[in-house]
Amino acid sequence: MNCQFIQEETQYLRNDLKNHKVYAAMSSMEGIRSFMEAHVLAVWDFMSLVKSLQRHFTTVDVPWVPKSNPKLARFINEIVLGEESDVNELGEYSSHFKMYLDAMEQIGGDSSKIHQFLTQLHETKSVSSALDSIDCDDRIKAFVHFTFDVIHSNQPHLIASVFTFGREDIIPELFLSILQSSDVDHAQYSKLKYYLDRHVEVDGDEHGPLSLLMVSELCGQDNQKWIEAANVAKSALEHRIFLWDAIHEKISATNAMN
């Protein structure tokens, strides 16, 4: 078995995502704004997937001790470098999460909920408590809970599969669909366009291929791990579809009010 096995097993879900009606709903600035406000938690929890893999494959504690697989350490460190300290449209160092927040605020998006969430998270160190402190669709909360359930499994091949097939491997296609569906003048959301273009470039050319190599390295010749990785990838994509459903309903409700 190999990564092609997982891609084939999940192709029907990838097709559902690629053809989801949420993209057509983002043909106006209001639609894009609603999407970003609802999607921001998924942008945030992605970094916890990244950092959990870094904890598995590298030493982040002191005193430092060597890890057994420098290849995996190299893979994840390259991904962390890009996600946590990329270069924004002004040539400044920035995480992709901060780029997203800046883009959301540029188009007048409401960032109060995500800031409230982060404040509560800082105070309680509890994702559940932080989620309970904000008003958002249960499917959005379920998406985040699923992410942390996988992280707490402490199984690197499962975490890497969600990271790869639930996030990195599909992000270029999803974000291209968003760009193509919008007829809004790009100058009105230059930061978002830069963010999306940067994701397509980095994830498609660098992080996506690296993540596939990471899954291959972790599953190796163990067929059971490949089956488990495929199953958790399906769950990740199903949760993404539920997330997209929730966001589409939010956009539709916003459009109905205008």
Side-chain angles (χ1 to χ4, degrees), residues 59 240-241 244:
T59 300
R240 172 73 72 170
I241 291 172
W244 260 212

Side-chain angles (χ1 to χ4, degrees), residues 78-145:
E78 287 192 20
I79 291 170
V80 169
L81 176 66
E83 295 293 341
E84 203 167 32
S85 55
D86 202 359
V87 178
N88 67 14
E89 79 283 0
L90 301 175
E92 303 165 338
Y93 294 121
S94 174
S95 69
H96 284 182
F97 174 71
K98 182 61 165 59
M99 287 185 201
Y100 189 93
L101 277 182
D102 290 344
M104 188 167 74
E105 290 170 354
Q106 182 189 41
I107 65 170
D110 181 4
S111 60
S112 61
K113 285 185 182 180
I114 186 63
H115 286 299
Q116 179 182 341
F117 170 83
L118 292 173
T119 297
Q120 185 71 12
L121 185 66
H122 179 75
E123 292 175 354
T124 67
K125 309 300 182 185
S126 167
V127 174
S128 293
S129 295
L131 285 172
D132 288 342
S133 74
I134 60 174
D135 178 25
C136 71
D137 191 286
D138 286 343
R139 287 165 292 186
I140 299 175
K141 294 181 180 181
F143 183 92
V144 176
H145 281 303

Side-chain angles (χ1 to χ4, degrees), residues 182-224:
S182 173
D183 60 6
V184 178
D185 181 3
H186 286 169
Q188 296 181 52
Y189 60 108
S190 59
K191 290 181 182 293
L192 175 59
K193 186 176 186 302
Y194 179 88
Y195 170 85
L196 295 179
D197 285 341
R198 187 64 179 151
H199 253 292
V200 170
E201 177 185 356
V202 173
D203 292 339
D205 295 341
E206 300 172 24
H207 294 179
L210 277 176
S211 64
L212 290 170
L213 290 171
M214 186 165 54
V215 173
S216 295
E217 185 77 11
L218 288 166
C219 292
Q221 301 301 313
D222 190 329
N223 284 346
Q224 183 60 35

Side-chain angles (χ1 to χ4, degrees), residues 24-90:
M26 287 190 291
S27 59
S28 66
M29 183 61 73
E30 290 76 15
I32 294 171
R33 188 181 298 119
S34 293
F35 173 88
M36 296 191 74
E37 291 172 354
H39 180 245
V40 66
L41 276 170
V43 178
W44 166 81
D45 83 345
F46 172 76
M47 283 306 301
S48 290
L49 279 174
V50 175
K51 300 302 283 188
S52 68
L53 288 170
Q54 188 179 38
R55 289 176 64 181
H56 279 287
F57 303 150
T58 72
T59 300
V60 294
D61 298 320
V62 175
W64 179 87
V65 293
K67 289 285 189 174
S68 61
N69 194 323
K71 183 186 293 186
L72 288 175
R74 176 74 181 206
F75 289 166
I76 195 60
N77 281 336
E78 287 192 20
I79 291 170
V80 169
L81 176 66
E83 295 293 341
E84 203 167 32
S85 55
D86 202 359
V87 178
N88 67 14
E89 79 283 0
L90 301 175

